[in-house]
Amino acid sequence: MTGVIDVGGGLRGIYGAGVFDYCLDHGIRFDSCYGVSAGSANIAAYLAGQRGRNYLFYTRYAFRRQYMSLGNFLRTGSYIDLDYVYGALSNRGGENPLDYDALKNSPAEMTVVALDAGTGKPVYFNKSRMTQDNYAILKASSCIPVVCRAYLVDGIPCYDGGLADPVPIRKALADGCDKAVVILTKPRDFLRVRKSDERTARILRRRYPKAAEQLLLRYQKYNRGVALAKAYEKEGRALIVAPDSISGMNTLTKNRESIDLLYRKGYADAAAIPAFLDTERKA
């Protein structure tokens, strides 16, 4: 069984969108797909067969004030309006609806990673938790702490899956994947550091202390996840697809030229996937 993992990364997630558009163009299919944060949206469109859909979200819609803006934050407490992204734009009759029927009927399994903000435990949603025009699990997985208010799924306050299981390769292999493609949105040798999360954790601790603890551990989880992927790569069980450079892109950097460049990098780098999967077919 083959798997694919997209770790997301805000607007850097367009790198993964490029990878999946390559896969759609070349008929590449996976048995099980794991999405973290923006990676979950990339996978949803991929399984729905909607080539190019997510490119517009990153390069066009993300620049709208309804999508992300200080005005949103002042009105609602969330800089990114997840209901606009995964509701107004994505619902049936919206500007760019997700083909829910195609997603539902895809034979591939889909796992969306989020964090239970109250307990600090990871939550793994599958696509059966989605229905037409109800994409709450995508919102939960993409809910960046402090930037957004916690998103409720069945009464459970959730935050970004990157706090829970930022590189879920262990989960993929435990679920039965023999091989997995791991899509990173930073160079493969990048190491996260705790310091970058300390300020956000201090703010988050006031309401969700368990979530704040997990935020402070994110750097360890990410670094260990990538290290594990590298170890499996040496065994021929994993393939890391990662950009050589992020062109100055951070999570919410709005730079059309850099965003488009990352998309093109993702599309080009995905050319390594067919040979990796062919080794399994020949075995």
Side-chain angles (χ1 to χ4, degrees), residues 5-9 34-39 162 166-168 182-186 222:
I5 296 163
D6 187 338
V7 307
Y34 298 80
V36 181
S37 192
V167 188
V182 181
I183 304 168
L184 305 179
T185 58
K186 288 191 175 181
Y222 178 87

Side-chain angles (χ1 to χ4, degrees), residues 9-14 37-42 53-73 75-90 95-96 138-139 142-144 147-148 251-254 256 259:
L11 294 180
R12 290 195 318 275
I14 195 168
S37 192
S40 64
N42 286 343
R53 178 177 185 268
N54 282 335
Y55 180 82
L56 294 175
F57 278 76
Y58 293 105
T59 61
R60 183 183 300 176
Y61 308 144
F63 290 81
R64 295 177 179 175
R65 57 179 177 76
Q66 300 100 311
Y67 192 114
M68 63 174 77
S69 66
L70 180 59
N72 283 347
F73 188 80
R75 285 192 305 274
T76 68
S78 292
Y79 180 74
I80 302 172
D81 186 344
L82 296 169
D83 290 328
Y84 178 73
V85 180
Y86 299 110
L89 291 173
S90 299
E95 187 172 345
N96 197 335
L138 303 183
K139 301 173 189 179
S142 304
C143 188
I144 302 172
V147 171
C148 299
T251 304
L252 301 177
T253 302
K254 294 184 184 181
R256 283 190 174 89
I259 290 171

Side-chain angles (χ1 to χ4, degrees), residues 232-279:
Y232 283 124
E233 192 173 46
K234 290 180 180 178
E235 297 176 5
R237 299 183 65 192
L239 172 69
I240 297 173
V241 180
D244 58 357
S245 167
I246 57 173
S247 303
M249 286 284 296
N250 290 317
T251 304
L252 301 177
T253 302
K254 294 184 184 181
N255 183 303
R256 283 190 174 89
E257 183 177 347
S258 295
I259 290 171
D260 183 69
L261 178 59
L262 269 181
Y263 173 83
R264 288 185 279 114
K265 282 179 180 287
Y267 192 95
D269 293 345
I273 295 175
F276 170 70
L277 297 181
D278 280 346
T279 60

